[in-house]
Amino acid sequence: MGIFKNRDALAPSYIPPEIPHRQDKLEELMSYFKPVIENKQDFEHVFIVGNTGTGKTLVARHLEKNILKYKNSHYIDVIYVNARFERIPGNIVRRMMRWANPMAPLRGYSVEDMYRYFLTFLSNSQWRVLLILDDADHLFEKHMVFIYQLGRVYEAGIRGKLSILFIVRSVASINKSNPWALGGIRKNIVHFEDYTYEELVDILEYRARQAFHDGAITYEAIETAADIASTYNFNARYAIELLLKAGMIAEKNGEDTVRPEHIRRARLEVPPSFTYDELESLTLQEKILVYSLAEILSEGNKSFATTGELERKYRENARSFGVEPVGHTWFWKMLNTLAAFGIISKRLSSKKFKGRTTLTTLPMNDDRVGLPSFSAEILMERLKEMIENEGLQEPKRQAE
């Protein structure tokens, strides 16, 4: 029969029917958008702010579900976009453009042209739209012009009927934008506090009932997962992935019950900052870069790699994979993107060195790059599998 009743109930993309300890946040969000739903207000802007694993996305998807109940009767629709996956304004605006006209050709148009087309369509129709921008932190730092455009619809002479729900990890992310970019954005903020230990146990019990057969996981195992997650701001997403991995370990060993030791072993394979599923969203070049970093740290037993040695290893591996490496400027853009997403850490090198060194071995302007949330060896295995699934050959090792 196996341990799992519904393994998908522990997947990051799963939206459970209930949201324990977050119903009040859903009601608060609905209160902001109720005037828009009832056509008493053209638009609204709201921020959800909270650490990873505090239920932000889950509540936003329930908000989407609730609003869509009024879709046909009140001419209101929702466009959900994970900004972390879509990366750049052009990809986000293309999603909006497809909503307005699924048959419209997307090539040959600038981001500004597509955005104006969408807004004009919206203004001339009965429809109002809520745009949910999940994982939007990087937009406020790297794409301030886009943030400005989102908030200044009325200055374009168009009736603004686009509401926006921004989901970010901290207010500091918002403050990285210049004041001129944020001037047109309304600052309604719903804070998602970290779960308590007791709340996290409740959430894990609820998800375990959906995912496992009766008796297939002990209460002590659930407590262990909550206890481990408590060291990472009571991250519910991390705790749920611990349950999933622990169940897989127990099943692989031919056991019929998930116990605390399975949870502890799962901790060695599950990164706390985000899920392995999110690695799938990386571009091929980014996967090769992270693979190269893991290889340097694993084989050299090092805490950090310099950007110089990482770039050399990346180019070596890219060619071994049969892929043309990107240029130096784009390599640095990839580093900054991966650091912004928390996949790697990037620290300035100290100007003080012990012993002798030269610019060719450790440049003064070389940053140091690390893997704060991963086992380098396990990461290499996962990325190798992902790259091979894309039909690429395994890197050839250089002769000693």
Side-chain angles (χ1 to χ4, degrees), residues 156-223:
I158 298 173
R159 182 185 174 191
K161 296 195 293 181
L162 175 65
S163 295
I164 308 173
L165 176 62
F166 298 97
I167 304 177
V168 297
R169 291 189 295 277
S170 71
V171 174
S173 299
I174 304 170
N175 292 335
K176 288 179 181 178
S177 272
N178 288 332
W180 63 264
L182 295 170
I185 302 290
R186 296 175 180 174
K187 312 301 190 299
N188 302 305
I189 298 179
V190 179
H191 291 278
F192 277 50
E193 301 79 12
D194 294 343
Y195 292 113
T196 66
Y197 172 79
E198 291 75 17
E199 289 172 340
L200 192 52
V201 169
D202 287 345
I203 292 167
L204 295 181
E205 279 193 288
Y206 172 63
R207 297 293 282 269
R209 285 195 298 271
Q210 295 179 299
F212 295 99
H213 288 294
D214 291 343
I217 184 169
T218 67
Y219 181 73
E220 291 76 15
I222 290 173
E223 286 185 311

Side-chain angles (χ1 to χ4, degrees), residues 316-368:
E316 174 188 319
N317 279 341
R319 293 189 177 98
S320 297
F321 275 123
V323 176
E324 184 66 26
V326 299
H328 177 75
T329 301
W330 197 259
F331 171 83
W332 273 92
K333 287 183 178 179
M334 290 198 298
L335 275 184
N336 290 332
T337 297
L338 292 168
F341 289 163
I343 296 173
I344 66 173
S345 62
K346 189 156 68 72
R347 303 184 183 280
L348 291 175
S349 290
S350 171
K351 293 185 178 180
K352 297 179 180 179
F353 302 100
K354 293 182 179 180
R356 296 180 62 186
T357 186
T358 68
L359 290 178
T360 57
T361 57
L362 185 58
M364 297 288 281
N365 62 350
D366 250 2
D367 288 347
R368 299 188 302 162

